[in-house]
Amino acid sequence: MGAASEARSAARAVEDAEWFRVLARSGYVANGVVHLILGVLTLAIALGSDGASDQTVVFKAIAAAPLGFAGLWALTVALSALGIWQLVQSVLMRRRGDEMRLAVWGRRLGAVGQAVIFLALGLISAAVALGARPDAEETTEDLSSVLLDIWGGAVVLALTGLGVGIGGIAFVVMGVRRSFENRMTLPDGRLGTTVRLLGVVGFLAKGIALTIVGILLLAATVTADADVAGGLDGAVQALFRLALGPFLVAAVGVGLLCYGVFSMFRARYARLTWR
């Protein structure tokens, strides 16, 4: 049996395990919790708070809460399980009818991208549970500075910014076209309509935020100034400095809240198999 066949066999074994399906669905709940807190932090900034708004701040806020240690480890397990599930699906994906081979690889790449995001969030949650107190903005600026100082690093930074920006645009497109429904089995009636609306607003808000992050990374490359780079909090601060900035930030905050609630519904209605 070749390595590819062994990988597919292992992936099928994971996919067939009901307990792992439950863990994967719990990952959507965990992602929802993260985005709900993120939405609250973003709304606080819109109202004049001096705080930050990114995933590391969310995990640090959870750590400071009663039983926060246990909560962080629960998030770690759930998010990591969902990340592993996405990797499993990327291995098992097959062509659909007359679908082009390139389209299959596009779906696989999307699944791997989702896996990286969820696994990274799980890693951050575990690090905070173990006592680390990371700063996403400082880390982004430091990494950007390192890349700008080495040969070829600017190209890597530019490609990273481009990738994040494209990811943000993809989220916007998914919101506008409601293509997220293709991976869900939504109920009829008002509940289904509500979940659709939450998904549209949530995907648009998250897409806008990610697109701005990509723009900031590209701007750091063009200006050769690492301080220009930023993560989600940098995107929120950039919005805040625009005309009607507080209202724009508040809109993103509401959108992130919608995405958080949508993610919890997704735990119930998601079709986990992407094949």
Side-chain angles (χ1 to χ4, degrees):
M1 182 181 294
S5 297
E6 291 179 359
R8 283 193 292 271
S9 296
R12 288 194 188 95
V14 172
E15 185 182 48
D16 291 339
E18 184 61 32
W19 65 271
F20 204 85
R21 285 175 175 266
V22 173
L23 274 181
R25 289 189 182 279
S26 72
Y28 284 121
V29 175
N31 195 40
V33 170
V34 171
H35 281 85
L36 284 173
I37 299 174
L38 200 55
V40 171
L41 293 173
T42 304
L43 283 174
I45 291 173
L47 295 173
S49 170
D50 292 331
S53 175
D54 59 50
Q55 287 89 342
T56 58
V57 177
V58 169
F59 291 123
K60 285 186 281 190
I62 293 173
L67 299 177
F69 177 82
L72 285 172
W73 281 115
L75 290 176
T76 297
V77 172
L79 290 167
S80 299
L82 183 54
I84 293 171
W85 186 270
Q86 299 288 346
L87 288 177
V88 165
Q89 292 307 307
S90 72
V91 172
L92 295 177
M93 281 179 185
R94 293 292 183 272
R95 293 174 65 179
R96 297 169 175 168
D98 296 331
E99 184 180 39
M100 295 178 61
R101 188 178 299 274
L102 184 60
V104 180
W105 281 104
R107 289 193 291 116
R108 283 176 175 165
L109 184 60
V112 171
Q114 289 291 303
V116 170
I117 291 171
F118 290 125
L119 289 171
L121 288 175
L123 182 61
I124 295 171
S125 181
V128 174
L130 292 172
R133 293 297 179 265
D135 186 316
E137 287 301 301
E138 183 178 333
T139 300
T140 301
E141 291 178 5
D142 289 345
L143 288 175
S144 298
S145 179
V146 170
L147 288 173
L148 289 172
D149 287 340
I150 63 176
W151 185 87
V155 175
V156 174
L157 184 60
L159 290 175
T160 302
L162 186 62
V164 173
I166 291 174
I169 294 172
F171 264 85
V172 171
V173 172
M174 288 178 69
V176 171
R177 299 182 62 184
R178 290 166 36 189
S179 56
F180 55 83
E181 294 181 39
N182 297 334
R183 301 173 190 167
M184 302 178 70
T185 303
L186 293 177
D188 297 324
R190 291 182 179 178
L191 180 58
T193 300
T194 299
V195 175
R196 288 186 185 91
L197 180 60
L198 289 168
V200 170
V201 176
F203 270 88
L204 287 174
K206 183 158 182 160
I208 290 170
L210 288 174
T211 301
I212 295 173
V213 172
I215 291 172
L216 291 176
L217 292 173
L218 288 172
T221 305
V222 173
T223 62
D225 184 357
D227 291 338
V228 176
L232 183 57
D233 185 57
V236 169
Q237 297 299 333
L239 272 179
F240 193 85
R241 291 191 291 270
L242 297 176
L244 301 177
F247 295 99
L248 295 174
V249 172
V252 170
V254 170
L256 291 173
L257 288 173
C258 289
Y259 190 83
V261 177
F262 168 78
S263 293
M264 293 187 171
F265 278 115
R266 201 174 186 181
R268 169 65 178 82
Y269 298 115
R271 288 200 299 267
L272 292 181
T273 301
W274 286 23
R275 284 176 285 168

